[in-house]
Amino acid sequence: MIENIPPCPQCSSEYTYEMNNLVVCPECGHEWVPGAEGAPEAGGERVIKDAVGNVLNDGDTVTVVKALKVKGNPSGIKAGTKVRNIRLVDGVDGHDIDCRIDGFGAMQLKSSVVKKA
């Protein structure tokens, strides 16, 4: 039993409750394990890791680990393409890296398809 149940890290609601080993937010439906490694804590920063588990930071250089299709471009992004000066964001659909790729322009990538260079 948790003595002080933390507020929701997604919507900051104070009406969270404990269910088995999870903490649940009734307002947004977010569920998490309090104190688990990699779990966002209230007031804490979200940790974003690459495909092999390295922690990413703003300004890092990463390498794309698998070929990616790009809508409107017949060739796509090849595996091994270096992306410099990334910016970490809270994007939609898991896209948490904002970057500019030579020949393609500005786009968002998922951290699961890159590794730190």
Side-chain angles (χ1 to χ4, degrees), residues 50-68:
D50 66 3
V52 294
N54 297 321
V55 177
L56 296 174
N57 298 307
D58 285 341
D60 282 346
T61 298
V62 296
T63 304
V64 177
V65 295
K66 69 178 207 174
L68 303 172

Side-chain angles (χ1 to χ4, degrees), residues 20-106:
N20 297 329
N21 63 340
L22 296 175
V23 177
V24 180
C25 176
E27 292 187 12
C28 70
H30 181 64
E31 299 177 348
W32 73 98
V33 178
E37 184 177 328
E41 291 294 322
E45 243 181 82
R46 194 172 125 210
V47 176
I48 298 176
K49 296 184 178 183
D50 66 3
V52 294
N54 297 321
V55 177
L56 296 174
N57 298 307
D58 285 341
D60 282 346
T61 298
V62 296
T63 304
V64 177
V65 295
K66 69 178 207 174
L68 303 172
K69 293 180 183 178
V70 178
K71 204 182 252 187
N73 192 313
S75 63
I77 299 171
K78 296 179 182 176
T81 302
K82 282 201 174 203
V83 181
R84 291 178 177 82
N85 200 18
I86 64 168
R87 190 167 51 104
L88 302 177
V89 296
D90 289 327
V92 293
D93 298 329
H95 293 84
D96 42 18
I97 297 174
D98 207 11
C99 62
R100 179 173 300 279
I101 299 177
D102 292 336
F104 293 95

